[in-house]
Amino acid sequence: MKQLAKTLQSKLFHLFQQVIAITIYRNPNPNKTNVALDEEIVEDPTAQLSKQIPLPDRVKKDGQKLLLNNPYPAKPRQFKKASLFPDSKTSIAALSLVLHGVAEVLSQKMNLSWKDRVNNTFSYEKEIESGKGKIFYYVTDNPETPQPETLAEEAALVVIDQFDPRACAIHLIYCALVASLDKPWQGNFIIDDRQLLEYTGLVKRRDLCKHEKLSILYHLLRQPAQVLACITWPKQGKVGAFTVADLKIWDVNIIRDFQTDKAGNHKLVGLKVIGQAGVWTKYFLNKSKYHYHTGIITKKTVQKLFSIGKQNAGAARILVWLTFQIQPEFQDCVIGKTLMEIAYSADKVSTAEQDRQLRRQMADDFETDLKVVKEAGWQAELETGPAWLTSSKSTKRPIGYWSEILNSKWRFHLPVEVESRLMDSNQLSANNIQPLSGNAIREARKAKGWSRAFFATTMGKSVSWVDAVETGTRKVSQKDLPKLLNTLELHLNRY
């Protein structure tokens, strides 16, 4: 009985302490603001990040338990599972030609062929289908307005010069978020600072305080939205020509939350991005049409892009190019000169022909940048060229090394994480295979404007194989089916 009485007395005393804590606890610092950081996406896109939470402790009922705030709270929960990378490694992302151009503008900057137009605008022109269509890219300094103003040369050069290669990582995050929407031209995506710190790898930076990290993010989050485009697309198969005059690629609203410290300084303590894609998604992310362009990005690539910044601008440009260009079963080799031009610009490569010191510097940079690309998970296989280009040992370059670099041939392989995801996806498809008609394959090929010979080359097959498949006299094997679906961008459940 005595033991029972002691136990009862202890429980009553503990309950009394809880009641006292609820009654008398007050916020020790009235200048501080608590910010709600819900992991779930808010339903109301106009919700403010700076929404105040009542300072008195909140009590949540969970069955018979009382969850009470504490004057000495436990260590904040870490953001463990980022929704952008559900397997913690990869994510589906929109990787269309339109979005590749935005990444080029952010990374290549003035290395692109910008021109001053007759209407007093400064733009970069990207051709489609051998000049049949065009995409004009512009820049603006007021992306938050409903109809941002395209800038003339002098003002545009100021904006372009401020672009940071790390903004390409933010751009890829937007590409992944918009690809997850069922109807991107109607919906929006929302992302908070905890997710951004995780996705970019900034959460690991111990040399920066939170205010500094969020300040970096704020300026980079705006930059992809500062690139505008006007699209004139040619007719392809059954899909007619179209023009997208709505210049906005990304429409982002960044909500910031500040606190005042004891010294009276305003510190950035939280931010949230409410983003929406432009009208272009009706044509390039519409699953009911053939203009449905998606691919896979890796968390490692995004974080490497963000970490190298301006220090390895050449590596950043190669990573951007690889992400948008290298597809499953990619067969073509890349010439060393092409890689050098992607990384350092055609003009600089040409100038190096007459400048020995510049050649040495660019050769050093090229070796370093290839190592950075490898660290991001991309494997570069030297198809043709001297062994010293891939040797881990530091050796003296031979006479004629510059010519050897320019004439080398490289074959790039997708990161292991991407290959693994594709393998899982292909296995799932193989387990649920439905007959695919030859007529459906023929129509999909024609919709892309491909000849039988071109399609055969892409598949690594003969023209007779294409004829047999399209006439129905031969079935596509389970081994070849995943590649055919990826190449023609078909979905089995349509047929």
Side-chain angles (χ1 to χ4, degrees):
M1 291 295 291
K2 290 183 179 180
Q3 182 65 32
L4 180 61
K6 287 182 179 180
T7 303
L8 182 60
Q9 182 182 10
S10 176
K11 289 185 176 181
L12 287 173
F13 181 71
H14 180 64
L15 180 60
F16 175 74
Q17 285 183 317
Q18 291 180 336
V19 173
I20 292 298
I22 298 174
T23 305
I24 67 173
Y25 176 64
R26 296 291 184 270
N27 183 27
N29 187 354
N31 288 329
K32 269 197 169 184
T33 300
N34 291 331
V35 181
L37 294 174
D38 298 329
E39 290 193 19
E40 298 296 328
I41 295 177
V42 297
E43 293 183 359
D44 180 8
T46 61
Q48 299 295 314
L49 180 65
S50 57
K51 179 181 178 181
Q52 303 294 315
I53 303 228
L55 293 178
D57 290 355
R58 295 164 295 172
V59 180
K60 297 181 180 180
K61 293 185 178 180
D62 182 13
Q64 298 298 320
K65 297 180 181 179
L66 293 176
L67 303 181
L68 305 174
N69 281 341
N70 195 315
Y72 306 97
K75 185 178 179 181
R77 281 190 308 151
Q78 296 296 318
F79 189 80
K80 294 181 179 179
K81 187 175 181 180
S83 58
L84 185 65
F85 301 99
D87 62 354
S88 77
K89 297 177 182 178
T90 61
S91 179
I92 299 295
L95 298 178
S96 69
L97 181 66
V98 176
L99 295 175
H100 186 190
V102 176
E104 284 182 318
V105 172
L106 294 172
S107 61
Q108 296 284 351
K109 301 169 67 169
M110 284 308 299
N111 289 343
L112 301 174
S113 55
W114 293 88
K115 295 180 181 178
D116 193 10
R117 305 293 171 182
V118 293
N119 56 354
N120 198 32
T121 58
F122 198 58
S123 67
Y124 158 55
E125 178 183 327
K126 192 177 184 71
E127 289 192 351
I128 308 166
E129 293 287 321
S130 302
K132 294 179 182 178
K134 294 180 180 179
I135 304 176
F136 294 93
Y137 291 94
Y138 309 87
V139 296
T140 184
D141 56 2
N142 59 343
E144 294 84 3
T145 60
Q147 294 181 330
E149 178 185 2
T150 58
L151 301 179
E153 181 174 1
E154 186 176 352
L157 288 173
V158 174
V159 172
I160 295 170
D161 184 62
Q162 294 174 349
F163 284 153
D164 190 314
R166 292 177 296 178
C168 292
I170 301 296
H171 178 56
L172 287 182
I173 291 173
Y174 291 167
C175 291
L177 291 170
V178 75
S180 67
L181 300 176
D182 186 43
K183 294 183 179 180
W185 53 93
Q186 294 179 350
N188 55 44
F189 55 83
I190 302 176
I191 183 170
D192 63 30
D193 56 276
R194 290 180 309 162
Q195 294 169 308
L196 289 165
L197 291 173
E198 171 71 19
Y199 300 159
T200 61
L202 267 176
V203 70
K204 300 175 184 177
R205 291 285 300 273
R206 304 302 181 190
D207 57 321
L208 300 174
C209 67
K210 187 171 184 179
H211 168 76
E212 293 170 324
K213 293 176 183 178
L214 297 185
S215 296
I216 292 171
L217 281 174
Y218 173 71
H219 293 292
L220 296 177
L221 288 166
R222 295 180 73 251
Q223 290 187 12
Q226 289 184 264
V227 182
L228 312 174
C230 179
I231 307 166
T232 304
W233 199 263
K235 183 179 184 300
Q236 290 189 357
K238 291 183 178 180
V239 182
F242 59 85
T243 298
V244 180
D246 185 340
L247 298 179
K248 280 197 174 186
I249 299 296
W250 302 116
D251 187 0
V252 297
N253 179 25
I254 307 171
I255 303 170
R256 292 179 290 173
D257 185 67
F258 292 88
Q259 287 181 2
T260 304
D261 62 15
K262 294 179 180 180
N265 300 314
H266 293 287
K267 297 291 185 179
L268 188 58
V269 295
L271 57 79
K272 180 171 290 187
V273 180
I274 302 173
Q276 187 172 24
V279 178
W280 61 272
T281 54
K282 288 186 177 180
Y283 301 94
F284 297 95
L285 281 180
N286 189 333
K287 297 180 182 180
S288 65
K289 298 182 182 295
Y290 288 114
H291 296 295
Y292 186 62
H293 302 293
T294 59
I296 298 176
I297 63 172
T298 67
K299 185 176 183 179
K300 191 181 291 185
T301 295
V302 171
Q303 293 191 346
K304 179 59 70 175
L305 270 173
F306 202 88
S307 66
I308 58 181
K310 297 178 180 180
Q311 298 176 349
N312 297 95
R317 291 166 186 152
I318 293 175
L319 280 174
V320 166
W321 186 84
L322 290 172
T323 301
F324 283 91
Q325 289 292 113
I326 304 301
Q327 302 298 324
E329 305 296 334
F330 183 77
Q331 297 296 324
D332 296 337
C333 288
V334 184
I335 305 299
K337 182 179 180 181
T338 301
L339 275 178
M340 296 284 282
E341 290 175 346
I342 291 168
Y344 316 112
S345 84
D347 289 342
K348 197 170 182 179
V349 172
S350 178
T351 302
E353 294 282 355
Q354 309 300 326
D355 189 328
R356 179 182 298 178
Q357 185 174 353
L358 182 58
R359 285 200 299 272
R360 289 176 179 173
Q361 181 61 52
M362 289 178 67
D364 290 340
D365 290 344
F366 187 59
E367 288 189 62
T368 301
D369 290 339
L370 284 179
K371 291 178 182 177
V372 173
V373 169
K374 184 177 180 180
E375 290 170 1
W378 293 86
Q379 299 300 317
E381 177 187 346
L382 183 62
E383 188 79 7
T384 304
W388 62 266
L389 275 172
T390 55
S391 175
S392 57
K393 298 180 181 179
S394 179
T395 57
K396 186 177 180 180
R397 298 190 188 102
I399 296 174
Y401 71 89
W402 182 251
S403 178
E404 290 182 337
I405 292 176
L406 296 184
N407 294 323
S408 61
K409 292 183 180 180
W410 301 83
R411 191 183 302 278
F412 286 90
H413 300 281
L414 293 167
V416 174
E417 300 90 338
V418 177
E419 294 282 7
S420 178
R421 177 155 182 172
L422 287 172
M423 189 179 300
D424 292 341
S425 177
N426 292 342
Q427 182 63 41
L428 182 62
S429 296
N431 293 336
N432 298 277
I433 280 186
Q434 300 293 330
L436 187 63
S437 70
N439 184 58
I441 297 173
R442 183 190 304 109
E443 290 299 320
R445 171 181 63 80
K446 289 183 177 180
K448 285 185 168 291
W450 293 352
S451 66
R452 290 176 301 163
F454 181 82
F455 178 45
T457 301
T458 305
M459 287 294 298
K461 302 289 184 179
S462 63
V463 175
S464 60
W465 179 88
V466 174
D467 285 336
V469 166
E470 291 188 350
T471 56
T473 58
R474 178 172 184 167
K475 292 183 178 180
V476 181
S477 67
Q478 290 191 6
K479 179 181 177 181
D480 292 330
L481 183 57
K483 181 179 178 180
L484 182 141
L485 295 174
N486 287 328
T487 302
L488 294 178
E489 298 181 73
L490 290 172
H491 299 276
L492 281 175
N493 56 6
R494 290 189 193 174
Y495 303 97

